[in-house]
């Protein structure tokens, strides 16, 4: 990873633990088709830097603004050096921002139209995609905050879920038989560090969610239709935009592997003897490659849901 040098640059407001000292590397990594999605713009007068998209990623202009702002945050946060601690702090900051954005949008929905309530866990029975940065942040949180007993219980749930879901498609994973291993008595046990994708998910009809998951005939018809449940789309699109900006920032500007992983497989690897994985990943390797799964591949419906340009 290259790190450019310089001094006296102004920075956007970032939490103290994310503030760095020096300026930043130029884009270094292209996607498989050879494209560079981010452009680093330096203001010669002020010396401040920001990251812009080389071309829109989303149909909605506000999503592109959110994505470039998230990429700028990543750029400014890691410009003094890339290490696990900084990436975890950045990821937690990004998770908080995504929640503020999504919750603010949900608050603006017509009164009572969003049906989600604490303890309602129908949407937690499917494959969940995370980046390596999110998976590492989640397991760092588990190691730091869970008791030995809680960690042991989680390890058992992860082992069980990993054995039962390995190799299944996302359609097969959408089932009451496959609860997310982080569900504990109907609640998310990692709520503060839950994946970005979980933060925007919402529903306009909780009973519809229940039937689509738990009634076999309704579930089969729902999966055949290829159309998502009725939801308020803006929070979903907001979290996807944040995620896209951070993914591009860390991969293009800092050379980190940010390809989506399956949450269960990645957490299982990290919690079971994976202490060296975060450092290997920071060094530019792909130690979580085996946790990439077909279940993370997007279909046309999910692309449309998140407002992506095709
Ligand atoms: S991580 Fe938490 S919110 Fe996301 S699917 Fe699992 S239990 Fe649900």
């Amino acid at each position: 990873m290259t790190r450019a040098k310089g001094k006296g640059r102004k920075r956007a407001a970032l939490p103290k633990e994310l503030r760095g000292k020096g300026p930043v590397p130029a884009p270094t990594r292209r996607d498989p088709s050879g494209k560079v999605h981010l452009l680093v713009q330096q203001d010669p007068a002020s010396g401040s830097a920001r990251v812009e998209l080389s071309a829109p990623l989303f149909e909605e202009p506000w999503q592109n603004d959110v994505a470039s702002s998230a990429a700028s945050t990543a750029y400014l946060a890691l410009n003094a050096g890339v290490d696990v601690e900084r990436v975890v702090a950045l990821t937690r900051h990004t998770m908080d921002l995504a929640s503020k954005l999504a919750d603010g949008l949900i608050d603006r929905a017509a009164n009572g139209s969003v049906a989600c309530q604490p303890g309602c866990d129908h949407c937690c029975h499917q494959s969940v995609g995370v980046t390596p940065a999110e998976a590492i942040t989640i397991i760092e949180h588990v190691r730091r905050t869970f008791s030995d007993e809680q960690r042991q219980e989680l390890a058992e749930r992860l082992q069980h879920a990993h054995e039962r879901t390995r190799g299944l498609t996302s359609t097969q994973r959408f089932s009451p038989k496959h609860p997310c291993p982080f569900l504990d008595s109907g609640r998310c046990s990692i709520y503060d560090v839950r994946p970005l994708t979980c933060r925007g998910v919402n529903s306009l009809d909780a009973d519809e969610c229940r039937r689509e998951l738990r009634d076999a005939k309704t579930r089969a018809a729902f999966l055949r239709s290829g159309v998502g449940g009725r939801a308020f789309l803006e929070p979903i699109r907001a979290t996807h935009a944040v995620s896209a900006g951070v993914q591009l920032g860390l991969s293009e500007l800092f050379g980190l592997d940010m390809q989506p992983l399956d949450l269960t497989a990645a957490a299982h690897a990290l919690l079971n003897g994976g202490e060296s994985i975060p450092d290997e990943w920071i060094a530019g390797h792909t130690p979580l490659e085996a946790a990439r799964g077909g279940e993370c591949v997007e279909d046309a419906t999910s692309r449309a849901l998140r407002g992506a340009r095709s």
Side-chain angles (χ1 to χ4, degrees):
M1 281 161 277
T2 340
R3 282 170 202 110
K5 297 193 171 147
K7 48 188 169 181
R9 314 255 165 154
K10 279 192 185 167
R11 294 180 179 80
L14 280 171
K16 201 170 155 201
E17 69 275 17
L18 289 178
R19 286 183 205 149
K21 289 180 191 153
V24 230
T28 53
R29 186 178 270 199
R30 292 167 185 269
D31 77 5
S33 64
K35 275 191 201 155
V36 169
H37 299 86
L38 301 180
L39 300 172
V40 180
Q41 307 283 1
Q42 299 274 0
D43 178 350
S46 66
S48 62
R50 61 164 283 112
V51 177
E52 289 178 4
L53 299 176
S54 58
L57 292 172
F58 299 101
E59 294 289 349
E60 299 278 347
W62 68 266
Q63 282 184 281
N64 292 311
D65 291 344
V66 169
S68 60
S69 173
S72 290
T73 300
Y75 178 84
L76 295 170
L78 300 183
N79 65 353
V82 183
D83 57 33
V84 175
E85 203 179 325
R86 277 180 174 276
V87 171
V88 167
L90 167 67
T91 306
R92 292 202 64 138
H93 178 62
T94 308
M95 288 170 165
D96 290 347
L97 285 180
S99 277
K100 276 192 190 129
L101 206 50
D103 293 349
L105 287 163
I106 285 174
D107 285 349
R108 282 206 248 149
N111 205 13
S113 60
V114 172
C116 307
Q117 296 291 334
C120 181
D121 65 1
H122 307 307
C123 61
C124 298
H125 292 73
Q126 56 186 307
S127 60
V128 175
V130 286
T131 61
E134 288 172 88
I136 287 167
T137 301
I138 288 167
I139 296 305
E140 186 273 341
H141 172 84
V142 166
R143 289 194 201 284
R144 198 166 35 78
T145 63
F146 278 33
S147 66
D148 289 348
E149 190 186 353
Q150 286 173 314
R151 212 161 42 226
Q152 182 57 34
E153 285 171 6
L154 173 62
E156 284 166 15
R157 287 198 302 271
L158 277 168
Q159 177 70 31
H160 182 68
H162 186 53
E163 280 166 10
R164 287 167 52 88
T165 59
R166 201 168 9 184
L168 297 186
T169 65
S170 55
T171 299
Q172 292 164 327
R173 292 280 291 273
F174 183 76
S175 162
K177 291 185 199 156
H178 299 307
C180 173
F182 287 100
L183 262 185
D184 187 4
S185 308
R187 305 229 167 200
C188 178
S189 61
I190 49 160
Y191 192 77
D192 288 351
V193 290
R194 68 200 186 283
L196 288 170
T197 193
C198 301
R199 292 171 190 253
V201 170
N202 69 88
S203 168
L204 301 180
D205 187 339
D207 193 52
E208 182 183 81
C209 296
R210 183 190 60 74
R211 283 181 282 111
E212 284 168 351
L213 176 72
R214 302 184 194 277
D215 178 73
K217 274 191 188 159
T218 311
R219 183 170 72 250
F222 170 66
L223 291 170
R224 259 198 318 274
S225 76
V227 177
R230 289 186 306 123
F232 182 32
L233 291 183
E234 269 62 23
I236 298 170
R237 291 181 166 172
T239 54
H240 278 299
V242 171
S243 184
V246 176
Q247 281 183 53
L248 286 172
L250 267 59
S251 60
E252 282 196 6
L253 305 178
F254 298 99
L256 298 174
D257 171 42
M258 287 292 277
Q259 289 203 48
L261 308 171
D262 174 66
L263 171 64
T264 298
H268 179 263
L270 281 159
L271 203 57
N272 284 281
E275 283 85 356
S276 64
I277 287 178
D279 288 328
E280 289 173 42
W281 176 72
I282 285 286
H285 303 298
T286 53
L288 288 167
E289 199 168 3
R292 288 181 200 154
E295 56 268 48
C296 294
V297 172
E298 275 197 327
D299 58 20
T301 306
S302 56
R303 286 182 67 77
L305 266 178
R306 72 183 175 89
R309 282 175 177 264
S310 53

